[in-house]
Amino acid sequence: MIIIMLGAPASGKGTQSVVVAQKLGVPHISTGDIFRWNIANNTPIGTEAKKYIDKGMLVPDELTIQILKDRIEMEDCKDGFVLDGFPRTINQQESLDSMLAECKKSIDMAINLAVTDNEVIRRISGRRMCKCGKAYHIVTYPPKTAGICDLCNGELYTRKDDTVEVANTRLEAYKLQSEPIIAVYREKGILVDIDGHKPQDEVSEDVLNEIEKYSSKQGVV
Ligand code: ADP
Ligand code: ZN
């Protein structure tokens, strides 16, 4: 199955993508994670992407589409994948459609995690990350020990683009460049809206229920 996870920054896309990918046994592909890996490892892609990411702007399509194409052509993607953070522009959405059409594949489902602007800013300004991928919120979802990950004992850090100022730019980029994609997938009849304000576990339940419904209709897993 090919699933696209849509939603504003900090809507829970990353968290829910991991849950879905585990459930389906397919890779979780996050363009944000790929860029951050490149930045941490000082690659040329990382140097280029960092100029935009630190300001809260989108990385140019040409580079983003190329890294995505390279990733989904890998062997482990042949039975499907969950896309988290791609497509983020109409141009990316159209490129993805043609990449998939070339290998006679198509998107099964696009899941839209809806949250309000206020909630986006609230979540981003309190977000703390662990290198294992787990995310916390200092007020509403703190770790058991302050600053330490419950899962791996790693030291928590704040993403450089998780300041209120950069968060506002990211939200603006989302509204202008990414939100129009929702209408495209709705038109194609593959969009499912999920209330992203509920507690994480309930959102996961809602998402997995929708996938279950779709699978039993299609007879695919
Ligand atoms: P979030 O959804 O919380 O903003 P991501 O990890 O998905 O976090 O993305 C972080 C940043 O990486 C974005 O603000 C953007 O600069 C860059 N990025 C990630 N995916 C894309 C994409 N598909 N196109 C352009 N830029 C991207
Ligand atoms: Zn951890």
Side-chain angles (χ1 to χ4, degrees):
M1 265 178 98
I2 298 179
I3 308 256
I4 312 279
M5 206 61 87
L6 300 171
S11 56
K13 285 193 307 292
T15 310
Q16 301 304 335
S17 296
V18 171
V19 172
V20 172
Q22 264 169 9
K23 179 80 182 179
L24 298 177
V26 296
H28 160 226
I29 302 174
S30 154
T31 38
D33 284 350
I34 296 175
F35 285 136
R36 279 185 291 277
W37 182 90
N38 277 278
I39 292 170
N41 289 282
N42 287 313
T43 70
I45 290 175
T47 309
E48 183 60 19
K50 189 172 164 37
K51 292 187 215 158
Y52 301 91
I53 294 181
D54 285 356
K55 293 194 198 112
M57 292 158 65
L58 295 187
V59 178
D61 280 343
E62 201 188 339
L63 176 60
T64 309
I65 291 167
Q66 190 58 51
I67 62 152
L68 193 274
K69 185 166 192 290
D70 292 345
R71 182 62 188 90
I72 65 174
E73 278 172 355
M74 289 168 83
E75 179 64 19
D76 63 339
C77 292
K78 66 178 191 329
D79 295 330
F81 45 84
V82 179
L83 279 190
D84 161 15
F86 189 101
R88 247 177 164 107
T89 63
I90 291 288
N91 187 16
Q92 291 179 15
Q93 178 264 317
E94 287 171 351
S95 302
L96 177 63
D97 269 359
S98 13
M99 278 181 232
L100 294 175
E102 249 173 59
C103 47
K104 302 202 165 41
K105 286 179 181 167
S106 60
I107 299 163
D108 290 280
M109 208 168 175
I111 296 170
N112 176 36
L113 295 179
V115 288
T116 59
D117 296 358
N118 283 343
E119 181 65 4
V120 167
I121 302 299
R122 190 195 68 78
R123 287 186 188 181
I124 290 184
S125 52
R127 180 152 74 175
R128 295 293 180 273
M129 297 297 304
C130 177
K131 59 177 176 337
C132 75
K134 180 92 183 145
Y136 298 86
H137 188 281
I138 47 172
V139 179
T140 48
Y141 190 65
K144 291 196 187 83
T145 312
I148 303 292
C149 177
D150 294 346
L151 301 182
C152 74
N153 278 328
E155 203 179 312
L156 303 186
Y157 65 92
T158 306
R159 258 169 57 173
K160 225 180 150 187
D161 58 348
D162 275 354
T163 63
V164 176
E165 202 190 28
V166 178
N168 277 305
T169 311
R170 284 160 65 196
L171 191 54
E172 215 169 287
Y174 170 75
K175 286 184 175 293
L176 283 172
Q177 296 171 276
S178 311
E179 218 170 36
I181 296 171
I182 295 174
V184 174
Y185 289 140
R186 200 185 299 283
E187 189 81 1
K188 289 178 187 282
I190 55 172
L191 190 85
V192 172
D193 289 294
I194 299 277
D195 178 2
H197 292 102
K198 294 187 188 174
Q200 244 175 56
D201 291 352
E202 286 179 38
V203 176
S204 300
E205 230 174 88
D206 291 350
V207 170
L208 294 177
N209 274 336
E210 290 293 340
I211 293 176
E212 192 92 1
K213 261 199 268 171
Y214 172 84
S215 305
S216 51
K217 252 195 282 174
Q218 303 286 313
V220 293
V221 185

